[in-house]
Amino acid sequence: MGANYQADWNSNCTLLVCAFPNTPKFRQVEADCGTIVSKEWILECYNQKKLVDIDSYLMHAGKPWRKGYISHKTSQEGSPPRKCPKVEKQSPSRPASFTSSKSKASNPSKEKFSPSELKKWAADDLKKTISWLESQEEKPEQSEIKQIAAEGILTCLQDAIDSLEQNQDIQQITEQWQCVPRVVEELAKLEGTKKVPASPSKKDLCKRAKACKKIYEEELGKLDNETREKTTQRAKDGRNKATSSDAAGYDSEETIEMTEEEIDLAYKSITS
């Protein structure tokens, strides 16, 4: 319909189209004072074949999403536009126990941030985030919850990377997110050792965070593929049982050649 889709929220985005509130990305855009609309807005635009006004689909009214646009709700109420929350830079408190134990080692983070450890963290973070999403009043659909959890983990990690690139502390990211991935917590702890000799700089931390994100992306993608393969296999097993039980009643001369797509459609029709 002429719109450009972005996988992640950035300065070029004008609207976040969201299925439900209180997701990690919803809070990210809300904190950035972005405008959020429900998915029904996209459907209505398609139905009417035109750009429909967003007022009745607003989930969060942020900065004007178009030049000269002012929300009718804001103008009717006569209240000034909502100011975006500013996050002040805070110096993180350094855990004494962590510092004293780690300062003795020559390279405290080498083993902690090993690929094998990061893969374990990714799996644990996915379970923890899914559990957190399921505990919310407005929870996502079961078929979407794993994807949303993975997306939230990677978004939080990207926030930490952005913060380091802007020479800011990761601690503020851990305060903004309600469900913080283990890797971000560990990076924040490592950042807290900056007064210790040979502690990593912001640049080194940023490089490490990017490497961590790459491993997280691979591991979360692998976990998602494994789930899909199991789901596909269960569907195939069910289809094979259905076809084998019915095969005895048919004459081979009446066999019809079908494409894989036609078989899937026929199976769905039978099971429904």
Side-chain angles (χ1 to χ4, degrees):
M1 294 186 288
N4 291 319
Y5 169 75
Q6 298 285 328
D8 293 306
W9 181 263
N10 56 59
S11 58
N12 295 323
C13 294
T14 54
L15 287 172
L16 173 69
V17 180
C18 203
F20 40 83
N22 209 27
T23 64
K25 186 163 286 187
F26 183 98
R27 290 196 303 276
Q28 176 197 356
V29 176
E30 186 179 35
D32 193 39
C33 212
T35 298
I36 307 173
V37 294
S38 64
K39 63 179 181 180
E40 283 73 24
W41 176 72
I42 285 283
L43 300 175
E44 192 58 32
C45 287
Y46 178 76
N47 290 336
Q48 296 191 30
K49 301 294 185 291
K50 69 175 185 179
L51 192 63
V52 177
D53 191 85
I54 67 170
D55 279 348
S56 56
Y57 302 95
L58 276 174
M59 298 175 76
H60 176 260
K63 292 176 285 191
W65 72 289
R66 298 171 65 195
K67 289 182 179 179
Y69 174 81
I70 300 176
S71 171
H72 294 312
K73 291 183 179 179
T74 303
S75 61
Q76 286 173 5
E77 292 168 2
S79 57
R82 184 185 307 176
K83 292 184 178 179
C84 300
K86 292 183 179 179
V87 179
E88 295 182 359
K89 184 178 177 181
Q90 298 177 355
S91 57
S93 57
R94 181 180 45 166
S97 60
F98 182 87
T99 303
S100 60
S101 61
K102 293 299 179 180
S103 59
K104 297 176 184 177
S106 58
N107 193 347
S109 61
K110 189 173 182 180
E111 291 184 6
K112 177 160 282 193
F113 288 89
S114 65
S116 58
E117 278 298 304
L118 287 167
K119 288 177 182 179
K120 290 178 185 176
W121 292 356
D124 291 342
D125 283 338
L126 186 62
K127 291 177 184 176
K128 181 178 77 171
T129 309
I130 289 173
S131 178
W132 181 84
L133 286 170
E134 289 176 337
S135 69
Q136 302 303 299
E137 287 186 13
E138 302 237 3
K139 60 188 73 175
E141 295 291 333
Q142 199 61 36
S143 59
E144 299 175 342
I145 198 166
K146 196 167 189 178
Q147 181 183 347
I148 290 168
E151 185 182 275
I153 293 167
L154 295 175
T155 301
C156 185
L157 186 46
Q158 184 59 49
D159 281 355
I161 292 170
D162 293 342
S163 184
L164 290 168
E165 287 179 338
Q166 294 166 16
N167 203 32
Q168 295 177 351
D169 293 338
I170 303 176
Q171 186 66 31
Q172 66 178 12
I173 302 302
T174 64
E175 293 168 359
Q176 289 173 4
W177 286 73
Q178 294 183 35
C179 190
V180 182
R182 171 79 182 274
V183 65
V184 176
E185 291 176 344
E186 294 297 337
L187 286 167
K189 287 180 184 178
L190 196 59
E191 184 184 51
T193 65
K194 57 187 176 183
K195 292 183 181 180
V196 176
S199 62
S201 63
K202 284 277 195 292
K203 187 177 180 180
D204 292 335
L205 275 174
C206 187
K207 192 182 293 184
R208 186 181 297 279
K210 288 179 179 178
C212 290
K213 188 187 177 189
K214 187 174 181 181
I215 293 173
Y216 259 63
E217 285 174 336
E218 291 174 356
E219 191 61 21
L220 292 173
K222 190 189 298 181
L223 291 169
D224 187 44
N225 288 336
E226 286 175 1
T227 302
R228 290 181 182 179
E229 285 173 5
K230 287 178 182 177
T231 303
T232 303
Q233 187 59 45
R234 283 197 295 267
K236 285 182 178 178
D237 290 345
R239 185 172 63 198
N240 289 338
K241 286 178 183 178
T243 53
S244 60
S245 61
D246 295 337
Y250 289 96
D251 189 339
S252 61
E253 292 181 0
E254 297 178 358
T255 301
I256 301 172
E257 291 187 6
M258 301 173 72
T259 64
E260 190 69 26
E261 185 178 352
E262 288 172 333
I263 293 171
D264 286 334
L265 288 172
Y267 173 69
K268 288 176 183 177
S269 176
I270 291 169
T271 55
S272 63

